[in-house]
Amino acid sequence: MDPIEFIQQSACSIKNTMYKLKLKYNPFSEKPIRGNTKFFVGRVSELREIGEILGAAMHGSVANAAIVGTKGIGKSSMLNIIYYATKKQGHWVVELTASQITPRQFLIQLLYNILIENLISINGTIKSDYMEHSQRILEMYKRLNNYGDKVPIHYPRERIERDLEYLINDVKDEDKLCIILIDEADQFAKKSCLSLLQFFHSFLYEENILAFFAGSPTLMDDLTKISPPIKDRIPKIINMPPLSKDESYDLIRRRLEDAHIDGADTFEPFTEDAIDMIVEECDGIPRKIIMTCSESISIAIKKHLRKIDENIVKEALHHLGISVGHQILNHLTPAQSEIVKAMAKLGGAATVTQLAEYLNKSPSTIGTHLSDIYEMGYIYKERDKNNVYYKLSKELKDVLLGEDNELEL
């Protein structure tokens, strides 16, 4: 068969199967909400707290905040809601993701994003409100325009900090805030980022700067270990709990309703039992709910089904567990991978001493690696009397303790 015709026929086949499922498209996207609030559910108390923080900051009482919660709980979506809400009020807003880069590169990214998101138009010209500062702004913009893989060596950190202070204190309107949204802020909780945290000590002290740091439940404890004064600069902690069962049902319903063809029932193509299983198994974690629904629909399309029942959901949950487990293994270093495989050989849980004996390595070496894997959230700790056991996450168990899995050390 001609390959072009084959692709076209396959595409038409999927379209027909989607119609059988009473869906116009698969509505379960893992991407964070981008200004579209129709899929946003719950979070009333958290939104109220953010509103109070913003309102107080606009009247001179700035309190930076940490938004904390487990993976997939919706921290990135919350940052996006803050972005569009504050952008609508005319504030300067900057979205950043903390990654394993140097503090200097992060500051360059911060400066660059302030420029392109608030001062420079899409066509590369300066917005009319800032024309009196055009010469210096253009100098910064030209210097940073291709900063990505070619960070300019001639742009020293001291100059970056001075330019940031100039933009915040001289260019920005006094009645507007500069709001900095930093996702995955756990990356700052390491000694190499101490100088960056020290910069934030003074930078976040400015009255017209409001920052939101998003990270794991232990974010503030981890940052404080590296730099104790940072705790005073981020006094507010907004906890993101799992969705309630009603909110979980609402999340699924809203997305399905948006994708339904005419005449579809509330949760079609899912049976009621399938929806109940998804809500029960996903523990109120939005990303897990979305991924499970999406994988279930993908399986149904491949099998040309009209309904998604409990068996399909079970299959989807199994596929996702194996997939995530492999992703985690690929992310680990060889030494870390050797340790989690040894944990699997020992039944999925082990002490430092047991692993050291099994792998014939020193307890200090094993302990260091376990601490790193634990901080990444791939294993857990559990105390039993005088012993501390490290346990594999469910995702690693799925891939390492599968019935047919052969482990090699």
Side-chain angles (χ1 to χ4, degrees), residues 169-223:
N169 297 322
D170 297 336
V171 179
K172 185 181 62 59
D173 293 339
E174 289 185 8
D175 63 337
K176 298 298 181 185
L177 298 169
C178 178
I179 296 169
I180 303 171
L181 309 174
I182 303 176
D183 206 356
E184 300 178 16
D186 299 88
Q187 294 288 350
F188 292 154
K190 48 192 177 184
K191 291 181 181 178
S192 62
C193 288
L194 176 60
S195 63
L196 181 58
L197 291 176
Q198 289 172 338
F199 166 76
F200 277 127
H201 296 166
S202 58
F203 191 63
L204 297 179
Y205 196 68
E206 299 286 341
E207 290 185 355
N208 51 6
I209 294 176
L210 176 61
F212 290 91
F213 293 74
S216 69
T218 62
L219 172 64
M220 287 312 302
D221 288 339
D222 296 339
L223 292 177

Side-chain angles (χ1 to χ4, degrees), residues 94 96 106-114 164 180 199 203:
V94 182
L96 298 164
F106 180 83
L107 292 176
I108 286 177
Q109 188 181 10
L110 172 60
L111 178 58
Y112 182 74
N113 282 27
I114 285 177
L164 281 169
I180 303 171
F199 166 76
F203 191 63

